[in-house]
Amino acid sequence: MITKETIDRIFEAIRIEDVVGEFVQLKKRGVNFLGLCPFHNEKTPSFNVNPVRNIYKCFGCGKGGNAVNFIMELEHYSYPEALKFLAGKYQIEIEESAPDPKELELRDERESLYILNTYAQKYFSENLFENEEGKSIGLSYFRERGFTDDTIRKFELGYSLQDWSAFSENAIKNGYKSEFIVKTGLGYPRQKDNEASSTEKLIDRFRGRVMFPVHNLSGRIIAFGGRILKKDEKAAKYVNSPESDIYSKSKSLYGIFYAKKSIVQKENCFLVEGYTDVISMHQSGIENVVASSGTSLTVEQIRLIGRYTKNVTVLYDGDAAGIKASIRGIDLILEEGLNVKVVLFPDGDDPDSYSRKHGGAATATFIQENAKDFIVFKTSLLLADVANDPVRKAGLIREIVESIAKIPDPITRSVYLKQSSAMMDIEEQVLIGELNKSRKQLLKKEHAPSDIEELLPEIILGRDKQLDPFTTEIHERNIVRLLLNFGDHDLHFDNEIDDEKAQGGKRNQVIAVKVARFIIDEMITDELSFSNATYHYFLTEYTRFIHEQLQIDSNIFIRSENPEVSKTYVELLSLPYFISKNWEEMHKIKVPNEESILMDAVQKAVTHLKTRKVMMMLEESSRMIKDAHEKGQDFIPLLEKHLKLEELKIELSKELGIDILR
């Protein structure tokens, strides 16, 4: 267990904009930061980071919390894992109390897979530098490709021995379970059902290959790619880890951990095909580069890039056949609203070889001078094939228009239509007609009815719910919101006191009462309570603050391991809207903020809760009177109580400025 003192040091050091900024491109918006939510697909930013309160909130999908919650949600870490990740970021030494043996025995399986992958990387790297086979085959290969030892160590490259079971036997000997070796894909059993017995010998998946670890966004190793060096027609040139609990090929990009900061700085992401392309470009000083690792580009990978930039430059080698095979996948990038450019390297060169030959500066210049908009590039490439064949040209036109139709922004679509019209020598109006047909088909597929709720803004008291008319939950929520936002603010009351020197023997005295004390006193005096368990927890803690005369510390809520508590805390501190300054400056419309009418807001919040309680009591009273009447019992005492409740209802309605309460 991590000690409380260590946890406190971690929370004190955290700057949430720094933590989130490593995973999401943030832009300053007033006192807050705004970006695209990493937890759901969106094209308009609704992800808000508040550096003052050290919290984040997405007004699209509703997720929110502190930096620890963010890492837990994004990386699927446990609470201790997220704390350790942040401690590492801020160079805070972790102090732990003696671990529970049962906790060690029940260690999370995902963590076991991470630990095994880390061990495997160190084992493969050690082979590369210290084993004769590793040095003669693996290390010499990397050095032939021009990789320096610093680059090799930076990307944690390695070598897996040609022996059938060298890694698996070594891992098991050092205490790693065979079941995890199989689940990570580092080894597999001989038997066909893919389940290894405790005594069965495993076969190494990557034997005789140089190793490329694949890292997630936070730098943990989630998979490996292995390249065979000897000529073997029966063996695949590259072998990759299979899918696992920690690795999804369609959601991963090779090099993203090393590239994300540079992508944000350069406002562009270079997309290449292979591991060595990424490594060579990094070594030459171009770091905003990632690879799809030989797989077809997926929507999830594009959205991962979209967290950091709206601009993608795809780098192709001179193989025209390869370009035509993969060019359709780039339409997905357009569909996700990203700007796409394409660079074609000279025949015989790819990003790896070109950057090694010419260096980083020349490569960067070449990319800048040869980058073409994807639609223009695609049109030029395909026009060369159709020659003067009208049928094939008509097919090309439809294909280009289908690509343009996938672009969400209408202005960008219009610009590309004009360019395509000129390049293909066809009237723009004809292209517009085809575009409208394609857009119509796309729009039918875009949003299911269930998606519409995601686009609705969250109001101050939470999402619009179908609440029971006799529940108090919405009023409980409002009171907790006032406690969290204004609990330590003063309310000023006039109090008449005796004073012989004053005229009439009385004078007014202004008394300051904290909002939290006023609410708690009102709740206790009228014996009010909350029905919602989460809101009741907040009320109980504030009651404790008041009774023990403690300074109100809202950190206990944001640091709570109870996800419902931290989620509610963030929701009630985050507003999805703000009043524009133009209302007052340009239109002379002055809208009072809640702080300026705090007395009225707090008093009415408590009164609304009392009113709802009375209405519920009246409903119950009516039922009891009816039951007593039907059973022939004396209902006069019940009726008298009912009449008193009606009088109280009238008094409360006057306080709220309502003529009649129903």
Side-chain angles (χ1 to χ4, degrees):
M1 295 288 290
I2 300 174
T3 63
K4 183 180 182 301
E5 292 74 20
T6 301
I7 294 173
D8 289 342
R9 284 200 301 275
I10 293 169
F11 273 101
E12 286 166 7
I14 286 171
R15 292 183 62 190
I16 193 164
E17 66 271 30
D18 290 343
V19 175
V20 175
E22 287 195 10
F23 303 89
V24 179
Q25 185 180 13
L26 297 174
K27 292 188 177 179
K28 189 82 168 169
R29 182 68 58 87
V31 297
N32 294 340
F33 292 88
L34 203 63
L36 292 173
C37 180
F39 303 121
H40 80 290
N41 180 34
E42 63 176 10
K43 295 181 174 66
T44 303
S46 62
F47 186 82
N48 192 283
V49 174
N50 186 322
V52 176
R53 298 186 187 273
N54 249 351
I55 59 174
Y56 72 92
K57 173 68 178 175
C58 176
F59 295 107
C61 66
K63 292 187 185 297
N66 57 24
V68 177
N69 303 134
F70 178 82
I71 296 298
M72 289 172 67
E73 187 76 34
L74 190 69
E75 296 293 346
H76 304 289
Y77 284 177
S78 65
Y79 185 71
E81 288 169 354
L83 287 172
K84 289 177 181 178
F85 171 81
L86 291 167
K89 174 178 173 60
Y90 290 100
Q91 297 181 339
I92 296 171
E93 187 177 346
I94 292 285
E95 294 178 7
E96 296 186 76
S97 54
D100 185 343
K102 290 183 179 179
E103 281 187 29
L104 293 177
E105 187 179 343
L106 299 173
R107 185 185 292 272
D108 178 68
E109 183 174 301
R110 287 171 55 86
E111 181 64 17
S112 296
L113 301 184
Y114 282 122
I115 291 171
L116 177 57
N117 277 345
T118 300
Y119 169 78
Q121 177 271 312
K122 291 178 180 176
Y123 172 83
F124 295 139
S125 292
E126 187 176 298
N127 285 344
L128 194 69
F129 286 102
E130 298 181 17
N131 181 280
E132 286 304 317
E133 179 187 330
K135 286 191 287 186
S136 63
I137 299 176
L139 190 59
S140 62
Y141 166 77
F142 287 133
R143 285 176 175 167
E144 282 172 14
R145 299 211 66 122
F147 297 163
T148 66
D149 286 3
D150 286 343
T151 297
I152 293 169
R153 294 186 190 281
K154 173 183 175 180
F155 283 88
E156 300 180 322
L157 306 180
Y159 178 76
S160 179
L161 301 177
Q162 294 185 43
D163 186 282
W164 283 85
S165 303
F167 167 75
S168 297
E169 289 178 1
N170 189 280
I172 292 170
K173 182 180 176 182
N174 281 276
Y176 294 93
K177 294 182 179 179
S178 58
E179 64 177 290
F180 294 135
I181 296 174
V182 173
K183 285 180 178 179
T184 56
L186 287 162
Y188 56 90
R190 293 177 184 272
Q191 54 193 32
K192 294 180 181 179
D193 61 7
N194 207 38
E195 289 185 5
S197 68
S198 58
T199 57
E200 186 179 9
K201 204 171 185 180
L202 298 178
I203 298 173
D204 291 347
R205 182 179 302 274
F206 298 103
R207 61 192 180 279
R209 294 175 183 268
V210 287
M211 300 297 290
F212 300 86
V214 180
H215 301 80
N216 65 10
L217 285 171
S218 57
R220 303 193 87 180
I221 297 170
I222 53 177
F224 291 90
R227 186 191 193 283
I228 198 166
L229 300 180
K230 65 179 182 179
K231 291 183 179 180
D232 186 347
E233 293 180 359
K234 295 181 180 179
K237 183 177 180 181
Y238 278 97
V239 169
N240 298 307
S241 295
E243 301 264 318
S244 70
D245 287 345
I246 60 174
Y247 175 56
S248 174
K249 186 181 297 185
S250 65
K251 297 177 182 178
S252 305
L253 285 166
Y254 181 74
I256 188 68
F257 170 67
Y258 300 103
K260 57 187 179 181
K261 191 173 291 185
S262 181
I263 291 171
V264 173
Q265 291 171 348
K266 304 288 187 182
E267 292 190 357
N268 197 354
C269 176
F270 294 147
L271 183 61
V272 297
E273 186 178 356
Y275 303 126
T276 56
D277 292 325
V278 171
I279 298 169
S280 288
M281 291 188 72
H282 263 266
Q283 184 167 282
S284 70
I286 301 172
E287 297 188 344
N288 54 323
V289 55
V290 299
S292 57
S293 302
T295 62
S296 298
L297 197 61
T298 66
V299 172
E300 291 90 347
Q301 290 171 334
I302 296 165
R303 290 173 183 171
L304 181 55
I305 294 171
R307 294 187 197 175
Y308 302 100
T309 182
K310 284 288 185 182
N311 304 305
V312 178
T313 302
V314 183
L315 307 184
Y316 282 120
D317 59 30
D319 178 15
I323 295 169
K324 289 173 185 175
S326 61
I327 204 167
R328 289 182 181 274
I330 303 180
D331 281 353
L332 291 173
I333 305 177
L334 295 174
E335 198 168 352
E336 289 301 311
L338 275 61
N339 307 311
V340 190
K341 291 190 175 183
V342 176
V343 173
L344 189 61
F345 282 92
D347 282 345
D349 268 326
D350 55 22
D352 172 21
S353 62
Y354 194 93
S355 60
R356 283 190 284 114
K357 287 179 189 175
H358 302 281
T363 302
T365 301
F366 179 85
I367 291 171
Q368 185 177 0
E369 292 177 350
N370 291 274
K372 295 180 180 178
D373 284 312
F374 173 60
I375 297 296
V376 176
F377 175 81
K378 183 175 181 179
T379 305
S380 302
L381 183 71
L382 299 184
L383 268 177
D385 285 346
V386 301
N388 295 318
D389 187 331
V391 175
R392 293 179 68 190
K393 186 172 182 179
L396 163 64
I397 291 168
R398 290 191 183 91
E399 188 173 336
I400 296 298
V401 170
E402 284 174 6
S403 290
I404 297 173
K406 292 174 181 176
I407 300 171
D409 181 55
I411 296 175
T412 307
R413 289 200 302 267
S414 178
V415 171
Y416 279 131
L417 277 181
K418 286 184 182 296
Q419 285 183 322
S420 298
S421 171
M423 292 181 69
M424 294 186 290
D425 191 23
I426 187 168
E427 290 182 11
E428 186 180 347
Q429 202 58 41
V430 175
L431 296 182
I432 291 173
E434 285 296 315
L435 177 73
N436 289 337
K437 289 179 188 176
S438 295
R439 288 294 296 170
K440 189 176 180 181
Q441 292 299 316
L442 286 172
L443 288 171
K444 286 181 180 178
K445 304 174 184 177
E446 272 189 0
H447 291 294
S450 59
D451 294 332
I452 296 172
E453 183 187 352
E454 185 178 292
L455 306 176
L456 298 176
E458 193 172 65
I459 60 172
I460 198 166
L461 297 178
R463 292 186 181 272
D464 183 21
K465 302 178 188 176
Q466 293 297 319
L467 291 172
D468 185 327
F470 292 104
T471 186
T472 60
E473 185 173 330
I474 196 168
H475 303 295
E476 294 171 11
R477 184 178 178 88
N478 193 30
I479 288 173
V480 173
R481 182 184 66 81
L482 289 166
L483 284 171
L484 292 173
N485 284 279
F486 306 107
D488 59 351
H489 285 52
D490 287 330
L491 300 177
H492 296 95
F493 297 89
D494 290 329
N495 185 39
E496 195 173 62
I497 62 172
D498 294 328
D499 188 346
E500 295 177 358
K501 297 178 181 178
Q503 187 177 359
K506 300 282 186 180
R507 69 177 175 85
N508 274 343
Q509 181 185 46
V510 177
I511 300 176
V513 179
K514 297 291 184 188
V515 168
R517 176 167 284 282
F518 174 82
I519 290 174
I520 299 303
D521 286 349
E522 287 287 309
M523 298 287 292
I524 292 173
T525 300
D526 290 322
E527 299 181 351
L528 299 171
S529 61
F530 285 170
S531 57
N532 179 285
T534 303
Y535 303 151
H536 177 73
Y537 169 78
F538 283 98
L539 183 67
T540 302
E541 286 300 306
Y542 270 92
T543 303
R544 182 174 66 84
F545 291 151
I546 297 301
H547 286 173
E548 296 180 12
Q549 298 183 344
L550 300 173
Q551 183 178 355
I552 294 172
D553 179 17
S554 59
N555 283 330
I556 66 168
F557 305 126
I558 192 62
R559 298 180 187 180
S560 173
E561 293 187 48
N562 183 335
E564 200 59 38
V565 170
S566 57
K567 175 187 172 187
T568 302
Y569 174 82
V570 172
E571 285 178 351
L572 296 182
L573 285 181
S574 306
L575 292 178
Y577 52 82
F578 62 93
I579 302 297
S580 170
K581 292 180 180 179
N582 292 337
W583 283 33
E584 185 171 354
E585 293 176 0
M586 295 177 62
H587 307 297
K588 309 304 178 189
I589 302 173
K590 187 172 179 65
V591 181
N593 59 38
E594 191 169 26
E595 195 169 348
S596 67
I597 54 171
L598 193 56
M599 173 78 81
D600 186 57
V602 171
Q603 289 180 321
K604 282 189 174 177
V606 177
T607 304
H608 273 298
L609 179 66
K610 293 178 183 179
T611 301
R612 184 57 63 197
K613 292 279 190 183
V614 169
M615 297 292 284
M616 292 169 69
M617 292 168 72
L618 279 168
E619 181 75 6
E620 177 66 13
S621 175
S622 296
R623 188 190 62 76
M624 292 173 68
I625 290 171
K626 181 181 177 182
D627 287 349
H629 176 69
E630 289 175 350
K631 293 176 182 177
Q633 298 172 345
D634 181 9
F635 58 83
I636 298 300
L638 294 174
L639 187 59
E640 290 174 348
K641 181 181 178 182
H642 190 87
L643 291 173
K644 287 181 180 178
L645 288 171
E646 287 285 358
E647 290 174 6
L648 181 55
K649 180 182 76 171
I650 292 169
E651 288 299 317
L652 291 171
S653 68
K654 289 178 182 178
E655 288 185 33
L656 293 172
I658 303 172
D659 291 332
I660 295 177
L661 279 172
R662 296 181 181 179

